[in-house]
mmCIF file with all atom_site columns, all heavy atoms in Angstrom:
data_model
loop_
_atom_site.group_PDB
_atom_site.id
_atom_site.type_symbol
_atom_site.label_atom_id
_atom_site.label_alt_id
_atom_site.label_comp_id
_atom_site.label_asym_id
_atom_site.label_entity_id
_atom_site.label_seq_id
_atom_site.pdbx_PDB_ins_code
_atom_site.Cartn_x
_atom_site.Cartn_y
_atom_site.Cartn_z
_atom_site.occupancy
_atom_site.B_iso_or_equiv
_atom_site.pdbx_formal_charge
_atom_site.auth_seq_id
_atom_site.auth_comp_id
_atom_site.auth_asym_id
_atom_site.auth_atom_id
_atom_site.pdbx_PDB_model_num
ATOM 1   N N   . ILE U 1 5   ? 0.815   7.491  7.959  1.00 0.00 ? 5   ILE U N   1
ATOM 2   C CA  . ILE U 1 5   ? -0.405  7.645  7.179  1.00 0.00 ? 5   ILE U CA  1
ATOM 3   C C   . ILE U 1 5   ? -0.169  8.862  6.291  1.00 0.00 ? 5   ILE U C   1
ATOM 4   O O   . ILE U 1 5   ? 0.193   9.933  6.769  1.00 0.00 ? 5   ILE U O   1
ATOM 5   C CB  . ILE U 1 5   ? -1.630  7.885  8.092  1.00 0.00 ? 5   ILE U CB  1
ATOM 6   C CG1 . ILE U 1 5   ? -1.752  6.794  9.180  1.00 0.00 ? 5   ILE U CG1 1
ATOM 7   C CG2 . ILE U 1 5   ? -2.908  7.982  7.248  1.00 0.00 ? 5   ILE U CG2 1
ATOM 8   C CD1 . ILE U 1 5   ? -1.727  5.379  8.684  1.00 0.00 ? 5   ILE U CD1 1
ATOM 9   N N   . ALA U 1 6   ? -0.348  8.686  5.000  1.00 0.00 ? 6   ALA U N   1
ATOM 10  C CA  . ALA U 1 6   ? -0.092  9.771  4.049  1.00 0.00 ? 6   ALA U CA  1
ATOM 11  C C   . ALA U 1 6   ? -1.114  10.894 4.229  1.00 0.00 ? 6   ALA U C   1
ATOM 12  O O   . ALA U 1 6   ? -2.285  10.641 4.501  1.00 0.00 ? 6   ALA U O   1
ATOM 13  C CB  . ALA U 1 6   ? -0.124  9.243  2.621  1.00 0.00 ? 6   ALA U CB  1
ATOM 14  N N   . ASP U 1 8   ? -1.955  15.279 2.874  1.00 0.00 ? 8   ASP U N   1
ATOM 15  C CA  . ASP U 1 8   ? -1.856  16.168 1.713  1.00 0.00 ? 8   ASP U CA  1
ATOM 16  C C   . ASP U 1 8   ? -0.416  16.565 1.389  1.00 0.00 ? 8   ASP U C   1
ATOM 17  O O   . ASP U 1 8   ? -0.088  16.785 0.228  1.00 0.00 ? 8   ASP U O   1
ATOM 18  C CB  . ASP U 1 8   ? -2.706  17.422 1.924  1.00 0.00 ? 8   ASP U CB  1
ATOM 19  C CG  . ASP U 1 8   ? -4.197  17.151 1.787  1.00 0.00 ? 8   ASP U CG  1
ATOM 20  O OD1 . ASP U 1 8   ? -4.574  16.012 1.442  1.00 0.00 ? 8   ASP U OD1 1
ATOM 21  O OD2 . ASP U 1 8   ? -4.985  18.074 2.030  1.00 0.00 ? 8   ASP U OD2 1
ATOM 22  N N   . ILE U 1 11  ? 1.144   14.384 -1.338 1.00 0.00 ? 11  ILE U N   1
ATOM 23  C CA  . ILE U 1 11  ? 0.581   14.340 -2.687 1.00 0.00 ? 11  ILE U CA  1
ATOM 24  C C   . ILE U 1 11  ? 1.661   14.563 -3.744 1.00 0.00 ? 11  ILE U C   1
ATOM 25  O O   . ILE U 1 11  ? 1.583   14.011 -4.839 1.00 0.00 ? 11  ILE U O   1
ATOM 26  C CB  . ILE U 1 11  ? -0.582  15.342 -2.822 1.00 0.00 ? 11  ILE U CB  1
ATOM 27  C CG1 . ILE U 1 11  ? -1.778  14.790 -2.040 1.00 0.00 ? 11  ILE U CG1 1
ATOM 28  C CG2 . ILE U 1 11  ? -0.949  15.604 -4.270 1.00 0.00 ? 11  ILE U CG2 1
ATOM 29  C CD1 . ILE U 1 11  ? -2.937  15.732 -1.918 1.00 0.00 ? 11  ILE U CD1 1
ATOM 30  N N   . TYR U 1 39  ? -5.428  8.743  -9.033 1.00 0.00 ? 39  TYR U N   1
ATOM 31  C CA  . TYR U 1 39  ? -5.965  7.695  -8.168 1.00 0.00 ? 39  TYR U CA  1
ATOM 32  C C   . TYR U 1 39  ? -5.172  7.634  -6.862 1.00 0.00 ? 39  TYR U C   1
ATOM 33  O O   . TYR U 1 39  ? -5.740  7.569  -5.771 1.00 0.00 ? 39  TYR U O   1
ATOM 34  C CB  . TYR U 1 39  ? -5.926  6.347  -8.896 1.00 0.00 ? 39  TYR U CB  1
ATOM 35  C CG  . TYR U 1 39  ? -6.605  5.239  -8.142 1.00 0.00 ? 39  TYR U CG  1
ATOM 36  C CD1 . TYR U 1 39  ? -7.978  5.072  -8.201 1.00 0.00 ? 39  TYR U CD1 1
ATOM 37  C CD2 . TYR U 1 39  ? -5.863  4.359  -7.368 1.00 0.00 ? 39  TYR U CD2 1
ATOM 38  C CE1 . TYR U 1 39  ? -8.611  4.049  -7.513 1.00 0.00 ? 39  TYR U CE1 1
ATOM 39  C CE2 . TYR U 1 39  ? -6.483  3.334  -6.663 1.00 0.00 ? 39  TYR U CE2 1
ATOM 40  C CZ  . TYR U 1 39  ? -7.858  3.183  -6.745 1.00 0.00 ? 39  TYR U CZ  1
ATOM 41  O OH  . TYR U 1 39  ? -8.471  2.177  -6.039 1.00 0.00 ? 39  TYR U OH  1
ATOM 42  N N   . VAL U 1 40  ? -3.845  7.651  -6.983 1.00 0.00 ? 40  VAL U N   1
ATOM 43  C CA  . VAL U 1 40  ? -2.968  7.645  -5.805 1.00 0.00 ? 40  VAL U CA  1
ATOM 44  C C   . VAL U 1 40  ? -3.249  8.877  -4.947 1.00 0.00 ? 40  VAL U C   1
ATOM 45  O O   . VAL U 1 40  ? -3.371  8.787  -3.724 1.00 0.00 ? 40  VAL U O   1
ATOM 46  C CB  . VAL U 1 40  ? -1.481  7.582  -6.226 1.00 0.00 ? 40  VAL U CB  1
ATOM 47  C CG1 . VAL U 1 40  ? -0.560  7.802  -5.038 1.00 0.00 ? 40  VAL U CG1 1
ATOM 48  C CG2 . VAL U 1 40  ? -1.174  6.253  -6.927 1.00 0.00 ? 40  VAL U CG2 1
ATOM 49  N N   . GLU U 1 41  ? -3.393  10.018 -5.593 1.00 0.00 ? 41  GLU U N   1
ATOM 50  C CA  . GLU U 1 41  ? -3.683  11.265 -4.873 1.00 0.00 ? 41  GLU U CA  1
ATOM 51  C C   . GLU U 1 41  ? -4.999  11.158 -4.101 1.00 0.00 ? 41  GLU U C   1
ATOM 52  O O   . GLU U 1 41  ? -5.088  11.600 -2.944 1.00 0.00 ? 41  GLU U O   1
ATOM 53  C CB  . GLU U 1 41  ? -3.746  12.431 -5.854 1.00 0.00 ? 41  GLU U CB  1
ATOM 54  C CG  . GLU U 1 41  ? -3.985  13.758 -5.196 1.00 0.00 ? 41  GLU U CG  1
ATOM 55  C CD  . GLU U 1 41  ? -4.008  14.927 -6.170 1.00 0.00 ? 41  GLU U CD  1
ATOM 56  O OE1 . GLU U 1 41  ? -3.294  14.895 -7.181 1.00 0.00 ? 41  GLU U OE1 1
ATOM 57  O OE2 . GLU U 1 41  ? -4.770  15.876 -5.897 1.00 0.00 ? 41  GLU U OE2 1
ATOM 58  N N   . ALA U 1 42  ? -6.005  10.571 -4.697 1.00 0.00 ? 42  ALA U N   1
ATOM 59  C CA  . ALA U 1 42  ? -7.301  10.415 -4.023 1.00 0.00 ? 42  ALA U CA  1
ATOM 60  C C   . ALA U 1 42  ? -7.167  9.545  -2.774 1.00 0.00 ? 42  ALA U C   1
ATOM 61  O O   . ALA U 1 42  ? -7.770  9.848  -1.734 1.00 0.00 ? 42  ALA U O   1
ATOM 62  C CB  . ALA U 1 42  ? -8.332  9.820  -4.980 1.00 0.00 ? 42  ALA U CB  1
ATOM 63  N N   . LYS U 1 43  ? -6.387  8.488  -2.854 1.00 0.00 ? 43  LYS U N   1
ATOM 64  C CA  . LYS U 1 43  ? -6.168  7.616  -1.695 1.00 0.00 ? 43  LYS U CA  1
ATOM 65  C C   . LYS U 1 43  ? -5.460  8.378  -0.583 1.00 0.00 ? 43  LYS U C   1
ATOM 66  O O   . LYS U 1 43  ? -5.772  8.213  0.599  1.00 0.00 ? 43  LYS U O   1
ATOM 67  C CB  . LYS U 1 43  ? -5.365  6.377  -2.093 1.00 0.00 ? 43  LYS U CB  1
ATOM 68  C CG  . LYS U 1 43  ? -6.121  5.441  -3.011 1.00 0.00 ? 43  LYS U CG  1
ATOM 69  C CD  . LYS U 1 43  ? -7.357  4.942  -2.328 1.00 0.00 ? 43  LYS U CD  1
ATOM 70  C CE  . LYS U 1 43  ? -8.236  4.153  -3.258 1.00 0.00 ? 43  LYS U CE  1
ATOM 71  N NZ  . LYS U 1 43  ? -9.511  3.812  -2.646 1.00 0.00 ? 43  LYS U NZ  1
ATOM 72  N N   . ILE U 1 44  ? -4.510  9.209  -0.958 1.00 0.00 ? 44  ILE U N   1
ATOM 73  C CA  . ILE U 1 44  ? -3.805  10.024 0.035  1.00 0.00 ? 44  ILE U CA  1
ATOM 74  C C   . ILE U 1 44  ? -4.763  11.020 0.675  1.00 0.00 ? 44  ILE U C   1
ATOM 75  O O   . ILE U 1 44  ? -4.818  11.148 1.895  1.00 0.00 ? 44  ILE U O   1
ATOM 76  C CB  . ILE U 1 44  ? -2.597  10.737 -0.617 1.00 0.00 ? 44  ILE U CB  1
ATOM 77  C CG1 . ILE U 1 44  ? -1.526  9.709  -1.019 1.00 0.00 ? 44  ILE U CG1 1
ATOM 78  C CG2 . ILE U 1 44  ? -2.022  11.791 0.327  1.00 0.00 ? 44  ILE U CG2 1
ATOM 79  C CD1 . ILE U 1 44  ? -0.401  10.277 -1.869 1.00 0.00 ? 44  ILE U CD1 1
ATOM 80  N N   . ARG U 1 45  ? -5.536  11.718 -0.157 1.00 0.00 ? 45  ARG U N   1
ATOM 81  C CA  . ARG U 1 45  ? -6.447  12.750 0.353  1.00 0.00 ? 45  ARG U CA  1
ATOM 82  C C   . ARG U 1 45  ? -7.504  12.203 1.322  1.00 0.00 ? 45  ARG U C   1
ATOM 83  O O   . ARG U 1 45  ? -7.882  12.870 2.271  1.00 0.00 ? 45  ARG U O   1
ATOM 84  C CB  . ARG U 1 45  ? -7.156  13.461 -0.796 1.00 0.00 ? 45  ARG U CB  1
ATOM 85  C CG  . ARG U 1 45  ? -6.288  14.443 -1.530 1.00 0.00 ? 45  ARG U CG  1
ATOM 86  C CD  . ARG U 1 45  ? -7.125  15.342 -2.441 1.00 0.00 ? 45  ARG U CD  1
ATOM 87  N NE  . ARG U 1 45  ? -6.281  16.132 -3.305 1.00 0.00 ? 45  ARG U NE  1
ATOM 88  C CZ  . ARG U 1 45  ? -5.657  17.246 -2.931 1.00 0.00 ? 45  ARG U CZ  1
ATOM 89  N NH1 . ARG U 1 45  ? -5.788  17.677 -1.694 1.00 0.00 ? 45  ARG U NH1 1
ATOM 90  N NH2 . ARG U 1 45  ? -4.914  17.916 -3.787 1.00 0.00 ? 45  ARG U NH2 1
ATOM 91  N N   . ASN U 1 46  ? -7.974  10.970 1.076  1.00 0.00 ? 46  ASN U N   1
ATOM 92  C CA  . ASN U 1 46  ? -9.015  10.446 1.955  1.00 0.00 ? 46  ASN U CA  1
ATOM 93  C C   . ASN U 1 46  ? -8.471  9.654  3.143  1.00 0.00 ? 46  ASN U C   1
ATOM 94  O O   . ASN U 1 46  ? -9.226  9.004  3.851  1.00 0.00 ? 46  ASN U O   1
ATOM 95  C CB  . ASN U 1 46  ? -10.079 9.659  1.169  1.00 0.00 ? 46  ASN U CB  1
ATOM 96  C CG  . ASN U 1 46  ? -9.583  8.359  0.600  1.00 0.00 ? 46  ASN U CG  1
ATOM 97  O OD1 . ASN U 1 46  ? -8.591  7.796  1.040  1.00 0.00 ? 46  ASN U OD1 1
ATOM 98  N ND2 . ASN U 1 46  ? -10.285 7.856  -0.404 1.00 0.00 ? 46  ASN U ND2 1
ATOM 99  N N   . GLY U 1 47  ? -7.163  9.725  3.353  1.00 0.00 ? 47  GLY U N   1
ATOM 100 C CA  . GLY U 1 47  ? -6.561  9.087  4.523  1.00 0.00 ? 47  GLY U CA  1
ATOM 101 C C   . GLY U 1 47  ? -6.454  7.587  4.430  1.00 0.00 ? 47  GLY U C   1
ATOM 102 O O   . GLY U 1 47  ? -6.346  6.903  5.447  1.00 0.00 ? 47  GLY U O   1
ATOM 103 N N   . ASN U 1 48  ? -6.471  7.065  3.218  1.00 0.00 ? 48  ASN U N   1
ATOM 104 C CA  . ASN U 1 48  ? -6.406  5.619  3.017  1.00 0.00 ? 48  ASN U CA  1
ATOM 105 C C   . ASN U 1 48  ? -5.098  5.167  2.380  1.00 0.00 ? 48  ASN U C   1
ATOM 106 O O   . ASN U 1 48  ? -5.078  4.259  1.554  1.00 0.00 ? 48  ASN U O   1
ATOM 107 C CB  . ASN U 1 48  ? -7.583  5.148  2.148  1.00 0.00 ? 48  ASN U CB  1
ATOM 108 C CG  . ASN U 1 48  ? -8.854  5.006  2.957  1.00 0.00 ? 48  ASN U CG  1
ATOM 109 O OD1 . ASN U 1 48  ? -8.838  5.088  4.172  1.00 0.00 ? 48  ASN U OD1 1
ATOM 110 N ND2 . ASN U 1 48  ? -9.959  4.793  2.292  1.00 0.00 ? 48  ASN U ND2 1
ATOM 111 N N   . ALA U 1 49  ? -3.996  5.798  2.776  1.00 0.00 ? 49  ALA U N   1
ATOM 112 C CA  . ALA U 1 49  ? -2.702  5.408  2.227  1.00 0.00 ? 49  ALA U CA  1
ATOM 113 C C   . ALA U 1 49  ? -1.618  5.513  3.293  1.00 0.00 ? 49  ALA U C   1
ATOM 114 O O   . ALA U 1 49  ? -1.693  6.331  4.211  1.00 0.00 ? 49  ALA U O   1
ATOM 115 C CB  . ALA U 1 49  ? -2.348  6.295  1.039  1.00 0.00 ? 49  ALA U CB  1
ATOM 116 N N   . TYR U 1 63  ? -2.077  1.269  -0.110 1.00 0.00 ? 63  TYR U N   1
ATOM 117 C CA  . TYR U 1 63  ? -3.322  1.964  0.178  1.00 0.00 ? 63  TYR U CA  1
ATOM 118 C C   . TYR U 1 63  ? -4.443  0.990  0.518  1.00 0.00 ? 63  TYR U C   1
ATOM 119 O O   . TYR U 1 63  ? -4.340  -0.212 0.307  1.00 0.00 ? 63  TYR U O   1
ATOM 120 C CB  . TYR U 1 63  ? -3.733  2.886  -0.971 1.00 0.00 ? 63  TYR U CB  1
ATOM 121 C CG  . TYR U 1 63  ? -4.136  2.192  -2.238 1.00 0.00 ? 63  TYR U CG  1
ATOM 122 C CD1 . TYR U 1 63  ? -5.421  1.718  -2.414 1.00 0.00 ? 63  TYR U CD1 1
ATOM 123 C CD2 . TYR U 1 63  ? -3.224  2.018  -3.269 1.00 0.00 ? 63  TYR U CD2 1
ATOM 124 C CE1 . TYR U 1 63  ? -5.803  1.083  -3.589 1.00 0.00 ? 63  TYR U CE1 1
ATOM 125 C CE2 . TYR U 1 63  ? -3.590  1.390  -4.441 1.00 0.00 ? 63  TYR U CE2 1
ATOM 126 C CZ  . TYR U 1 63  ? -4.877  0.930  -4.589 1.00 0.00 ? 63  TYR U CZ  1
ATOM 127 O OH  . TYR U 1 63  ? -5.250  0.298  -5.754 1.00 0.00 ? 63  TYR U OH  1
ATOM 128 N N   . ILE U 1 64  ? -5.512  1.570  1.054  1.00 0.00 ? 64  ILE U N   1
ATOM 129 C CA  . ILE U 1 64  ? -6.703  0.821  1.450  1.00 0.00 ? 64  ILE U CA  1
ATOM 130 C C   . ILE U 1 64  ? -7.801  1.086  0.425  1.00 0.00 ? 64  ILE U C   1
ATOM 131 O O   . ILE U 1 64  ? -8.026  2.215  0.018  1.00 0.00 ? 64  ILE U O   1
ATOM 132 C CB  . ILE U 1 64  ? -7.199  1.309  2.830  1.00 0.00 ? 64  ILE U CB  1
ATOM 133 C CG1 . ILE U 1 64  ? -6.141  1.086  3.904  1.00 0.00 ? 64  ILE U CG1 1
ATOM 134 C CG2 . ILE U 1 64  ? -8.526  0.641  3.206  1.00 0.00 ? 64  ILE U CG2 1
ATOM 135 C CD1 . ILE U 1 64  ? -6.437  1.823  5.209  1.00 0.00 ? 64  ILE U CD1 1
ATOM 136 N N   . GLU U 1 65  ? -8.484  0.021  0.065  1.00 0.00 ? 65  GLU U N   1
ATOM 137 C CA  . GLU U 1 65  ? -9.663  0.114  -0.788 1.00 0.00 ? 65  GLU U CA  1
ATOM 138 C C   . GLU U 1 65  ? -10.820 -0.463 0.012  1.00 0.00 ? 65  GLU U C   1
ATOM 139 O O   . GLU U 1 65  ? -10.665 -1.480 0.687  1.00 0.00 ? 65  GLU U O   1
ATOM 140 C CB  . GLU U 1 65  ? -9.445  -0.688 -2.069 1.00 0.00 ? 65  GLU U CB  1
ATOM 141 C CG  . GLU U 1 65  ? -10.524 -0.539 -3.099 1.00 0.00 ? 65  GLU U CG  1
ATOM 142 C CD  . GLU U 1 65  ? -10.504 0.838  -3.742 1.00 0.00 ? 65  GLU U CD  1
ATOM 143 O OE1 . GLU U 1 65  ? -9.562  1.139  -4.466 1.00 0.00 ? 65  GLU U OE1 1
ATOM 144 O OE2 . GLU U 1 65  ? -11.466 1.600  -3.497 1.00 0.00 ? 65  GLU U OE2 1
ATOM 145 N N   . THR U 1 66  ? -11.983 0.180  -0.035 1.00 0.00 ? 66  THR U N   1
ATOM 146 C CA  . THR U 1 66  ? -13.151 -0.341 0.680  1.00 0.00 ? 66  THR U CA  1
ATOM 147 C C   . THR U 1 66  ? -14.205 -0.818 -0.309 1.00 0.00 ? 66  THR U C   1
ATOM 148 O O   . THR U 1 66  ? -14.296 -0.315 -1.425 1.00 0.00 ? 66  THR U O   1
ATOM 149 C CB  . THR U 1 66  ? -13.759 0.729  1.606  1.00 0.00 ? 66  THR U CB  1
ATOM 150 O OG1 . THR U 1 66  ? -14.178 1.845  0.823  1.00 0.00 ? 66  THR U OG1 1
ATOM 151 C CG2 . THR U 1 66  ? -12.776 1.167  2.673  1.00 0.00 ? 66  THR U CG2 1
ATOM 152 N N   . HIS U 1 100 ? -3.763  0.489  10.560 1.00 0.00 ? 100 HIS U N   1
ATOM 153 C CA  . HIS U 1 100 ? -4.567  1.658  10.206 1.00 0.00 ? 100 HIS U CA  1
ATOM 154 C C   . HIS U 1 100 ? -5.976  1.222  9.776  1.00 0.00 ? 100 HIS U C   1
ATOM 155 O O   . HIS U 1 100 ? -6.975  1.849  10.150 1.00 0.00 ? 100 HIS U O   1
ATOM 156 C CB  . HIS U 1 100 ? -3.876  2.443  9.090  1.00 0.00 ? 100 HIS U CB  1
ATOM 157 C CG  . HIS U 1 100 ? -4.595  3.675  8.658  1.00 0.00 ? 100 HIS U CG  1
ATOM 158 N ND1 . HIS U 1 100 ? -5.017  4.653  9.541  1.00 0.00 ? 100 HIS U ND1 1
ATOM 159 C CD2 . HIS U 1 100 ? -4.985  4.102  7.424  1.00 0.00 ? 100 HIS U CD2 1
ATOM 160 C CE1 . HIS U 1 100 ? -5.627  5.624  8.875  1.00 0.00 ? 100 HIS U CE1 1
ATOM 161 N NE2 . HIS U 1 100 ? -5.621  5.307  7.583  1.00 0.00 ? 100 HIS U NE2 1
ATOM 162 N N   . LYS U 1 104 ? -9.352  2.507  11.473 1.00 0.00 ? 104 LYS U N   1
ATOM 163 C CA  . LYS U 1 104 ? -10.271 3.326  10.685 1.00 0.00 ? 104 LYS U CA  1
ATOM 164 C C   . LYS U 1 104 ? -11.572 2.590  10.345 1.00 0.00 ? 104 LYS U C   1
ATOM 165 O O   . LYS U 1 104 ? -12.627 3.210  10.253 1.00 0.00 ? 104 LYS U O   1
ATOM 166 C CB  . LYS U 1 104 ? -9.574  3.780  9.399  1.00 0.00 ? 104 LYS U CB  1
ATOM 167 C CG  . LYS U 1 104 ? -10.364 4.819  8.637  1.00 0.00 ? 104 LYS U CG  1
ATOM 168 C CD  . LYS U 1 104 ? -9.560  5.470  7.529  1.00 0.00 ? 104 LYS U CD  1
ATOM 169 C CE  . LYS U 1 104 ? -10.405 6.527  6.838  1.00 0.00 ? 104 LYS U CE  1
ATOM 170 N NZ  . LYS U 1 104 ? -9.723  7.174  5.748  1.00 0.00 ? 104 LYS U NZ  1
ATOM 171 N N   . TYR U 1 105 ? -11.480 1.278  10.153 1.00 0.00 ? 105 TYR U N   1
ATOM 172 C CA  . TYR U 1 105 ? -12.656 0.462  9.781  1.00 0.00 ? 105 TYR U CA  1
ATOM 173 C C   . TYR U 1 105 ? -12.760 -0.729 10.742 1.00 0.00 ? 105 TYR U C   1
ATOM 174 O O   . TYR U 1 105 ? -12.545 -1.884 10.349 1.00 0.00 ? 105 TYR U O   1
ATOM 175 C CB  . TYR U 1 105 ? -12.515 -0.025 8.339  1.00 0.00 ? 105 TYR U CB  1
ATOM 176 C CG  . TYR U 1 105 ? -12.340 1.096  7.347  1.00 0.00 ? 105 TYR U CG  1
ATOM 177 C CD1 . TYR U 1 105 ? -11.076 1.394  6.815  1.00 0.00 ? 105 TYR U CD1 1
ATOM 178 C CD2 . TYR U 1 105 ? -13.416 1.878  6.944  1.00 0.00 ? 105 TYR U CD2 1
ATOM 179 C CE1 . TYR U 1 105 ? -10.912 2.441  5.910  1.00 0.00 ? 105 TYR U CE1 1
ATOM 180 C CE2 . TYR U 1 105 ? -13.256 2.920  6.038  1.00 0.00 ? 105 TYR U CE2 1
ATOM 181 C CZ  . TYR U 1 105 ? -12.001 3.192  5.533  1.00 0.00 ? 105 TYR U CZ  1
ATOM 182 O OH  . TYR U 1 105 ? -11.840 4.225  4.638  1.00 0.00 ? 105 TYR U OH  1
#
Side-chain angles (χ1 to χ4, degrees):
I5 307 308
D8 286 355
I11 288 172
Y39 187 82
V40 171
E41 182 178 327
K43 292 299 173 187
I44 292 171
R45 284 193 189 280
N46 69 21
N48 280 351
Y63 68 84
I64 299 167
E65 187 71 68
T66 61
H100 181 52
K104 190 168 182 181
Y105 303 102

